[in-house]
Coordinates of all heavy atoms in Angstrom, one line a residue:
Chain A
R18 N 194.0 76.0 117.9 CA 192.7 76.7 117.7 C 192.2 76.2 116.4 O 192.8 76.2 115.4 CB 192.9 78.2 117.6 CG 193.1 78.9 119.0 CD 192.4 80.3 119.0 NE 191.0 80.2 118.7 CZ 190.3 81.2 118.2 NH1 190.9 82.3 117.8 NH2 189.1 81.1 118.0
R20 N 188.2 76.1 114.3 CA 186.8 76.4 114.3 C 186.0 75.1 114.5 O 186.3 74.1 113.8 CB 186.3 77.0 113.0 CG 186.6 78.4 112.9 CD 185.8 79.0 111.8 NE 186.1 80.4 111.7 CZ 185.4 81.3 111.0 NH1 184.3 80.9 110.3 NH2 185.8 82.5 111.0
H24 N 179.6 74.5 114.0 CA 179.1 75.9 114.1 C 178.4 76.4 112.9 O 177.5 77.1 112.9 CB 180.2 76.9 114.4 CG 180.7 76.8 115.9 ND1 180.1 76.0 116.8 CD2 181.8 77.3 116.5 CE1 180.7 76.1 118.0 NE2 181.8 76.9 117.8
R25 N 179.0 76.0 111.7 CA 178.5 76.5 110.5 C 176.9 76.3 110.3 O 176.2 77.2 110.0 CB 179.3 75.9 109.3 CG 179.1 76.8 108.1 CD 180.1 76.3 107.0 NE 179.8 77.0 105.8 CZ 180.3 78.2 105.4 NH1 181.1 78.8 106.1 NH2 179.9 78.7 104.3
F27 N 174.8 75.7 112.6 CA 174.1 76.4 113.6 C 173.9 77.9 113.3 O 172.8 78.5 113.5 CB 174.7 76.2 115.0 CG 174.7 74.8 115.5 CD1 175.7 74.3 116.3 CD2 173.6 74.0 115.2 CE1 175.7 73.0 116.7 CE2 173.5 72.7 115.7 CZ 174.6 72.2 116.4
V28 N 174.9 78.6 112.9 CA 174.8 80.0 112.6 C 173.9 80.3 111.4 O 173.4 81.4 111.2 CB 176.2 80.8 112.5 CG1 177.0 80.7 113.8 CG2 177.0 80.3 111.3
G30 N 171.2 78.6 110.9 CA 169.9 78.2 111.1 C 169.6 76.9 110.6 O 168.4 76.5 110.3
Y34 N 167.3 70.0 115.0 CA 166.9 69.7 116.3 C 165.6 68.8 116.3 O 164.9 68.7 115.3 CB 166.6 71.0 117.1 CG 167.8 71.8 117.2 CD1 168.1 72.8 116.3 CD2 168.7 71.7 118.3 CE1 169.3 73.6 116.3 CE2 169.9 72.4 118.4 CZ 170.1 73.4 117.4 OH 171.3 74.1 117.5
A36 N 162.7 69.3 117.3 CA 161.4 69.9 116.9 C 161.4 70.3 115.4 O 160.4 70.7 114.9 CB 161.2 71.2 117.7
D37 N 162.5 70.1 114.7 CA 162.6 70.5 113.3 C 162.1 69.4 112.4 O 161.9 69.6 111.2 CB 164.0 70.9 112.9 CG 164.5 72.1 113.8 OD1 163.7 72.8 114.4 OD2 165.7 72.3 113.8
R39 N 159.9 66.8 110.6 CA 158.5 66.7 110.2 C 158.3 65.4 109.4 O 158.9 65.2 108.3 CB 158.1 67.9 109.3 CG 157.7 69.0 110.1 CD 157.7 70.3 109.5 NE 157.4 71.3 110.5 CZ 158.1 71.6 111.5 NH1 159.3 71.0 111.7 NH2 157.8 72.5 112.4
A123 N 147.7 72.0 118.5 CA 146.6 72.9 119.0 C 145.3 72.1 119.3 O 144.7 72.2 120.3 CB 146.3 74.0 118.0
D127 N 143.5 71.6 122.8 CA 142.1 71.8 123.0 C 141.4 70.6 123.6 O 140.6 70.8 124.5 CB 141.4 72.1 121.6 CG 141.8 73.5 121.1 OD1 142.4 74.3 121.8 OD2 141.6 73.7 119.9
S196 N 168.3 73.2 138.4 CA 168.7 72.3 137.4 C 169.5 72.9 136.3 O 169.8 74.1 136.3 CB 167.4 71.6 136.8 OG 167.8 70.5 135.9
T197 N 169.7 72.2 135.2 CA 170.5 72.8 134.1 C 169.6 73.6 133.2 O 170.1 74.4 132.5 CB 171.2 71.7 133.3 OG1 170.3 70.9 132.6 CG2 172.1 70.8 134.2
I200 N 167.8 75.6 127.1 CA 166.9 76.5 126.4 C 165.9 75.7 125.6 O 164.8 76.0 125.4 CB 167.6 77.6 125.6 CG1 168.6 78.3 126.5 CG2 166.6 78.6 125.0 CD1 168.1 79.0 127.7
V250 N 171.1 68.3 119.8 CA 170.4 68.5 121.1 C 170.7 69.9 121.6 O 171.8 70.3 121.7 CB 170.9 67.4 122.1 CG1 170.1 67.6 123.4 CG2 170.6 66.0 121.6
G251 N 169.6 70.6 121.9 CA 169.7 72.1 122.2 C 170.1 72.3 123.7 O 169.4 72.9 124.4
G252 N 171.2 71.7 124.1 CA 171.7 71.8 125.5 C 171.1 70.7 126.3 O 170.0 70.2 126.1
Y254 N 173.4 69.1 129.5 CA 174.2 69.2 130.7 C 173.7 68.2 131.7 O 173.7 68.4 132.9 CB 174.2 70.6 131.3 CG 173.9 71.7 130.3 CD1 172.6 72.2 130.1 CD2 174.9 72.2 129.5 CE1 172.3 73.1 129.2 CE2 174.6 73.2 128.5 CZ 173.4 73.6 128.4 OH 173.1 74.6 127.4
R283 N 157.3 74.8 128.0 CA 158.2 75.1 129.1 C 157.6 74.7 130.5 O 158.3 74.1 131.3 CB 158.5 76.6 129.1 CG 159.5 77.1 130.1 CD 160.8 76.2 130.2 NE 161.6 76.3 129.0 CZ 162.8 75.7 128.8 NH1 163.2 74.8 129.8 NH2 163.5 75.8 127.7
G506 N 176.1 70.1 122.3 CA 176.9 71.3 122.3 C 178.4 71.1 122.6 O 179.2 72.0 122.7
D687 N 189.2 76.1 122.6 CA 188.0 77.0 122.6 C 186.8 76.3 123.2 O 186.0 76.9 123.9 CB 187.7 77.4 121.2 CG 188.5 78.5 120.7 OD1 189.3 79.1 121.5 OD2 188.5 78.8 119.5
G691 N 184.9 77.4 126.5 CA 183.5 77.7 126.4 C 182.7 76.9 127.4 O 181.8 77.5 128.1
Y694 N 183.3 78.7 130.8 CA 182.5 79.9 131.0 C 181.1 79.6 131.3 O 180.4 80.1 132.1 CB 182.5 80.7 129.7 CG 183.9 81.4 129.3 CD1 184.4 81.2 128.0 CD2 184.6 82.1 130.2 CE1 185.6 81.8 127.6 CE2 185.8 82.7 129.9 CZ 186.3 82.6 128.6 OH 187.4 83.2 128.2
G695 N 180.5 78.6 130.5 CA 179.1 78.2 130.7 C 178.9 77.6 132.0 O 177.8 77.8 132.6
A698 N 178.6 80.4 134.5 CA 177.3 81.0 134.4 C 176.2 80.2 135.1 O 175.4 80.7 135.8 CB 176.9 81.2 132.9
H699 N 176.3 78.9 134.9 CA 175.4 78.0 135.6 C 175.6 78.0 137.1 O 174.6 78.0 137.8 CB 175.6 76.6 135.0 CG 174.6 75.6 135.5 ND1 174.8 74.2 135.3 CD2 173.5 75.7 136.2 CE1 173.8 73.6 135.8 NE2 173.0 74.4 136.4
E707 N 168.5 80.6 140.9 CA 167.6 79.6 140.4 C 167.1 78.7 141.5 O 167.9 78.1 142.3 CB 168.4 78.7 139.4 CG 168.9 79.4 138.2 CD 169.7 78.6 137.2 OE1 169.4 77.4 137.1 OE2 170.6 79.1 136.6
F722 N 160.1 81.0 133.1 CA 161.3 81.8 133.1 C 161.1 83.1 133.8 O 162.0 83.9 133.9 CB 161.9 82.0 131.7 CG 162.6 80.7 131.2 CD1 163.1 80.7 129.9 CD2 162.8 79.6 132.0 CE1 163.7 79.6 129.4 CE2 163.4 78.5 131.5 CZ 163.9 78.5 130.2
P728 N 170.4 83.2 134.7 CA 171.3 84.4 134.5 C 171.4 84.8 133.1 O 171.6 84.0 132.2 CB 172.6 83.9 135.1 CG 172.6 82.5 135.2 CD 171.2 82.0 135.2
S729 N 171.4 86.1 132.9 CA 171.6 86.7 131.6 C 173.0 87.3 131.5 O 173.7 87.2 132.4 CB 170.5 87.8 131.3 OG 170.9 89.0 132.0
A730 N 173.3 87.8 130.3 CA 174.6 88.5 130.2 C 174.8 89.6 131.1 O 176.0 90.0 131.3 CB 174.7 88.9 128.7
V733 N 175.9 87.5 134.6 CA 177.2 86.8 134.5 C 178.3 87.8 134.2 O 178.3 88.5 133.3 CB 177.1 85.7 133.4 CG1 178.4 85.0 133.3 CG2 176.0 84.8 133.6
I736 N 184.6 86.8 132.7 CA 185.3 85.7 133.4 C 186.7 85.5 132.8 O 186.8 85.5 131.6 CB 184.5 84.3 133.3 CG1 183.1 84.5 133.9 CG2 185.3 83.2 134.0 CD1 182.1 83.5 133.3
Chain B
R23 N 145.0 82.4 115.7 CA 145.7 82.1 117.0 C 147.1 81.6 116.8 O 147.8 81.4 117.7 CB 144.9 81.2 117.9 CG 144.9 79.7 117.3 CD 144.2 78.8 118.4 NE 144.0 77.5 117.8 CZ 143.5 76.5 118.6 NH1 143.1 76.7 119.8 NH2 143.3 75.3 118.1
R31 N 158.0 78.5 111.4 CA 158.5 77.1 111.5 C 157.6 76.1 110.7 O 158.1 75.3 109.9 CB 158.7 76.7 112.9 CG 159.8 77.4 113.7 CD 159.9 77.0 115.1 NE 160.0 75.5 115.2 CZ 161.1 74.9 115.1 NH1 162.2 75.5 115.0 NH2 161.1 73.6 115.2
D32 N 156.3 76.2 111.0 CA 155.4 75.1 110.5 C 154.9 75.4 109.1 O 154.8 74.5 108.3 CB 154.3 74.9 111.5 CG 154.7 74.4 112.9 OD1 155.9 74.0 113.0 OD2 154.0 74.6 113.8
T37 N 162.9 76.6 110.1 CA 163.1 76.0 111.5 C 164.3 76.6 112.2 O 164.6 76.2 113.3 CB 163.2 74.5 111.4 OG1 164.2 74.1 110.5 CG2 161.9 73.9 111.0
G38 N 165.0 77.6 111.6 CA 166.1 78.2 112.2 C 165.7 79.0 113.5 O 166.4 79.1 114.4
H40 N 164.0 79.4 116.8 CA 163.7 78.4 117.8 C 162.7 78.8 118.9 O 162.4 80.0 119.0 CB 165.0 77.9 118.5 CG 165.9 77.3 117.6 ND1 167.3 77.2 117.8 CD2 165.7 76.6 116.4 CE1 167.9 76.5 116.8 NE2 166.9 76.2 116.0
G42 N 161.9 78.5 123.0 CA 162.5 78.1 124.2 C 161.6 78.2 125.4 O 161.6 77.4 126.3
C43 N 160.7 79.2 125.4 CA 159.8 79.4 126.5 C 158.4 79.7 126.2 O 157.5 79.5 126.9 CB 160.4 80.5 127.5 SG 160.3 82.2 126.7
E44 N 158.2 80.3 125.0 CA 156.9 80.7 124.6 C 156.2 81.7 125.5 O 155.0 81.9 125.5 CB 156.0 79.5 124.4 CG 156.4 78.6 123.2 CD 155.5 77.4 123.0 OE1 155.7 76.4 123.8 OE2 154.6 77.5 122.2
H45 N 157.1 82.4 126.3 CA 156.5 83.4 127.1 C 157.4 84.7 127.2 O 157.3 85.4 128.1 CB 156.0 83.0 128.5 CG 157.0 82.2 129.3 ND1 156.8 80.8 129.5 CD2 158.1 82.6 130.0 CE1 157.8 80.4 130.2 NE2 158.6 81.4 130.6
V47 N 160.6 85.4 127.4 CA 161.8 85.6 128.3 C 163.1 85.2 127.6 O 164.1 86.0 127.7 CB 161.6 84.9 129.6 CG1 162.9 85.1 130.5 CG2 160.4 85.4 130.4
V78 N 166.9 84.1 111.0 CA 168.4 83.8 110.9 C 168.7 83.3 109.5 O 169.8 83.5 109.0 CB 168.7 82.7 112.0 CG1 168.0 81.4 111.7 CG2 170.2 82.5 112.1
G86 N 175.6 79.8 101.0 CA 176.9 79.3 101.2 C 177.9 80.3 101.8 O 179.1 80.0 102.0
L88 N 178.6 83.4 104.9 CA 178.3 83.8 106.2 C 178.3 85.3 106.3 O 179.2 85.9 105.6 CB 179.2 83.2 107.3 CG 179.4 81.7 107.4 CD1 180.4 81.4 108.4 CD2 178.1 81.1 107.7
Q92 N 178.0 86.2 111.6 CA 177.9 84.8 111.7 C 179.4 84.2 111.7 O 179.7 83.3 112.4 CB 177.2 84.2 110.5 CG 175.7 84.4 110.6 CD 174.9 84.1 109.3 OE1 175.4 84.5 108.2 NE2 173.7 83.5 109.4
D93 N 180.2 84.8 110.8 CA 181.6 84.4 110.7 C 182.3 84.6 112.1 O 183.0 83.7 112.6 CB 182.2 85.2 109.6 CG 183.5 84.6 109.2 OD1 183.5 83.4 109.0 OD2 184.5 85.4 109.0
C96 N 181.4 82.0 114.6 CA 182.2 80.7 114.4 C 183.6 80.9 114.9 O 184.1 80.0 115.6 CB 182.2 80.4 113.0 SG 180.6 79.9 112.3
E97 N 184.2 82.0 114.6 CA 185.6 82.3 114.9 C 185.8 82.3 116.4 O 186.8 81.8 116.9 CB 186.1 83.5 114.2 CG 187.5 83.9 114.4 CD 188.5 82.8 113.9 OE1 188.1 82.0 113.0 OE2 189.6 82.8 114.4
H99 N 183.9 81.1 118.8 CA 183.3 80.0 119.5 C 182.2 80.5 120.4 O 182.1 80.2 121.6 CB 184.3 79.2 120.3 CG 183.8 77.9 120.9 ND1 183.4 76.9 120.1 CD2 183.6 77.5 122.2 CE1 183.0 75.9 120.9 NE2 183.0 76.3 122.1
L101 N 179.2 79.8 120.4 CA 178.0 78.9 120.6 C 178.5 77.6 120.9 O 179.7 77.2 120.7 CB 177.2 78.9 119.3 CG 177.9 78.5 118.0 CD1 177.0 77.8 117.1 CD2 178.5 79.7 117.3
Q102 N 177.6 76.8 121.5 CA 177.9 75.4 121.7 C 176.8 74.5 121.1 O 176.9 74.0 120.1 CB 178.1 75.2 123.2 CG 179.4 75.8 123.7 CD 179.6 75.7 125.2 OE1 179.3 74.8 125.8 NE2 180.1 76.8 125.8
C103 N 175.6 74.5 121.8 CA 174.6 73.6 121.3 C 173.9 74.3 120.1 O 173.2 73.7 119.3 CB 173.5 73.3 122.4 SG 172.4 74.6 122.8
G104 N 174.0 75.6 120.0 CA 173.5 76.4 118.9 C 172.0 76.7 119.0 O 171.4 77.3 118.1
Y105 N 171.4 76.3 120.1 CA 169.9 76.5 120.2 C 169.5 78.0 120.4 O 168.6 78.5 119.8 CB 169.3 75.7 121.4 CG 167.9 75.5 121.2 CD1 167.4 74.6 120.2 CD2 166.9 76.2 121.9 CE1 166.1 74.4 120.0 CE2 165.6 76.0 121.7 CZ 165.1 75.1 120.8 OH 163.8 74.9 120.5
L111 N 172.0 85.9 117.3 CA 172.5 86.5 116.0 C 171.6 87.7 115.6 O 172.0 88.8 115.2 CB 172.6 85.5 114.9 CG 173.8 84.6 114.9 CD1 173.6 83.4 114.0 CD2 175.1 85.3 114.6
R130 N 176.4 93.6 126.3 CA 175.7 92.8 127.3 C 174.3 93.2 127.5 O 173.4 92.4 127.7 CB 176.5 92.8 128.7 CG 177.7 92.0 128.6 CD 178.4 91.9 130.0 NE 179.6 91.1 129.9 CZ 179.7 89.8 130.1 NH1 178.6 89.1 130.5 NH2 180.8 89.1 130.0
I133 N 172.1 91.9 124.5 CA 171.8 90.4 124.6 C 171.2 90.1 125.9 O 171.0 88.9 126.2 CB 173.0 89.5 124.2 CG1 174.1 89.7 125.2 CG2 173.5 89.8 122.8 CD1 175.2 88.7 125.1
G134 N 170.9 91.0 126.7 CA 170.4 90.8 128.1 C 169.1 90.1 128.1 O 168.7 89.4 129.1
L137 N 168.6 84.4 126.5 CA 169.3 83.5 127.4 C 170.1 82.5 126.6 O 169.7 81.9 125.6 CB 168.2 82.8 128.3 CG 167.5 83.7 129.2 CD1 166.4 82.9 129.9 CD2 168.4 84.4 130.2
R139 N 172.4 79.0 127.7 CA 172.7 78.2 128.9 C 174.1 77.6 128.7 O 174.6 76.9 129.6 CB 171.7 77.1 129.0 CG 171.6 76.5 130.4 CD 171.4 77.5 131.5 NE 170.9 76.9 132.6 CZ 170.9 77.4 133.9 NH1 171.4 78.6 134.1 NH2 170.4 76.7 134.9
C140 N 174.7 77.7 127.5 CA 175.9 77.0 127.2 C 177.2 77.9 127.5 O 178.2 77.4 128.0 CB 176.0 76.5 125.8 SG 174.8 75.3 125.3
T141 N 177.1 79.1 127.0 CA 178.4 79.8 126.8 C 178.8 80.7 127.9 O 180.0 81.2 127.9 CB 178.3 80.7 125.5 OG1 177.3 81.7 125.8 CG2 177.9 79.9 124.3
G142 N 177.9 81.0 128.8 CA 178.3 82.0 129.8 C 178.4 83.4 129.2 O 178.9 84.3 129.8
Y143 N 178.1 83.5 127.9 CA 178.0 84.8 127.2 C 179.4 85.4 126.8 O 179.5 86.2 125.9 CB 177.2 85.9 128.0 CG 175.8 85.4 128.4 CD1 175.6 85.0 129.7 CD2 174.8 85.3 127.4 CE1 174.3 84.6 130.1 CE2 173.6 84.8 127.8 CZ 173.3 84.5 129.1 OH 172.1 84.0 129.5
Q144 N 180.4 84.9 127.5 CA 181.7 85.6 127.2 C 182.1 85.6 125.8 O 182.5 86.6 125.2 CB 182.8 84.8 128.1 CG 184.1 85.4 127.9 CD 184.5 86.2 129.1 OE1 183.8 86.3 130.1 NE2 185.6 87.0 129.0
Q145 N 182.0 84.4 125.2 CA 182.5 84.3 123.8 C 181.5 84.9 122.8 O 181.9 85.3 121.7 CB 182.8 82.8 123.4 CG 184.1 82.3 124.1 CD 184.1 80.8 124.3 OE1 183.1 80.3 124.8 NE2 185.2 80.2 124.1

Side-chain angles (χ1 to χ4, degrees):
Chain A
R18 281 213 64 207
R20 279 192 183 198
H24 288 352
R25 200 172 169 89
F27 294 145
V28 298
Y34 299 92
D37 301 341
R39 272 163 188 64
D127 288 345
S196 187
T197 69
I200 307 300
V250 180
Y254 335 96
R283 185 48 68 181
D687 282 350
Y694 291 132
H699 185 189
E707 299 176 32
F722 283 175
S729 77
V733 179
I736 300 155
Chain B
R23 67 175 175 177
R31 291 178 53 85
D32 297 342
T37 53
H40 295 155
C43 67
E44 291 178 281
H45 49 255
V47 178
V78 66
L88 301 179
Q92 287 168 320
D93 198 43
C96 293
E97 182 61 22
H99 191 64
L101 58 148
Q102 290 174 37
C103 76
Y105 200 75
L111 284 165
R130 286 186 181 267
I133 60 171
L137 296 175
R139 202 55 162 163
C140 293
T141 63
Y143 307 103
Q144 180 101 9
Q145 288 154 314

